[in-house]
Amino acid sequence: MRPTVALFVPCYVDDFYPQAALATLEILEAQGFGVEYPQPQRCCGQPFINNGLLDEGRAFATAFADLFEAYDYIVAPSSSCIGTAKYRYDSLLEPERHRKLAPKLYELCEFLHDVVGLERLRLEHPFPHRVGLHNSCHALRELELARPSELMIPHFSKIEAVLSRIEGIEIVHPERDECCGFGGTFSVQESAVSAAMGRDRIADHRRQGVEIMAGVDLSCLMHMEGLARRDGTPMRFVHVAQILAGRADCE
C-alpha cells in the first residue's frame, strides 16, 4: 500500500503565501505520493507556546494530533511549525501519542532528502539564477537541516543538496549565518532590533550579488521582504518550494 502524505499548511502560508502551499503539493505529487489536505487545519500553536500560554498551546497540539496522526507522513513548507509539533508538543500531548506523532513530521526539503532520496528526486524545472540561501534558525538549530556556523563540524545542508538538483541554479552563501530578526512576537516587542537584524541579512546577501533570496520559512522571508520593500532594495524573496516546482519565475 502506498504511504499516505498529509500536507500541513501553516496559517501564515495559507493567508499570505498560498503559492508556496500549491508548489509543495505539486512537488510531492510529482514524486509519486498520494497527498491529502485534511481539514479543518488550524495554527500549530507556536505563538502561544513561545509566549508561555500552555493551556492554549495544548488545545492546538491536541487538535493537530487529532487531524494528522493517522497519516504515514506529515509534510509542511515550514521548519518552525514542524519543529513546534516535533519537539514542543512533548509536554502538551500524552507521551505515547507524541512519540508516535513526532517521527512522521517533516519539513519539505527534509522529506525530499531523507524519505524520497536525492537519487530518486524528480525535478524537471530549470532555474538559471543566482540564489542566496537563507537558513532559518529553526531549520538549522532545531531540525538540523544544515550545519550551524557555531559548530565545528563538516559542512552539510539538506536544503542545498535538494536545490542543487535543479538545473542551472547557482547557490550563494552569505558571509555570516545569523537570524533574520523576525522571531514572531520578538519583532513586535523589539522592533528596532528586529529590523536591524533583518537589514543585516539583506545587506550580506546583496554583497554576494544576490537578487533572489530563498529559504524554507516564509516568516523569515516575509520579514526581510517587508524591509527590502520599505528601503527600495531590489531583491526577490521566494520559498524553496516555488523554485523546486518551477513556480518562482512566474510569481
Side-chain angles (χ1 to χ4, degrees), residues 151-168:
L151 297 184
M152 302 302 292
I153 60 177
H155 171 77
F156 73 93
S157 172
K158 295 180 182 181
I159 305 167
E160 183 178 351
V162 170
L163 277 175
S164 295
R165 306 294 290 182
I166 296 288
E167 180 183 349

Side-chain angles (χ1 to χ4, degrees), residues 12 46-48 50-51 80 88 137-138 179-191 194-195 197 217-223:
Y12 62 91
Q46 181 181 175
F48 300 91
N50 288 354
N51 286 280
S80 66
R88 276 168 283 182
C137 299
H138 290 277
C179 175
C180 72
F182 177 60
T185 52
F186 174 80
S187 64
V188 177
Q189 297 164 350
E190 299 288 349
S191 58
S194 173
M197 292 172 71
D217 278 291
L218 277 163
S219 51
C220 301
L221 298 176
M222 176 177 65
H223 173 61

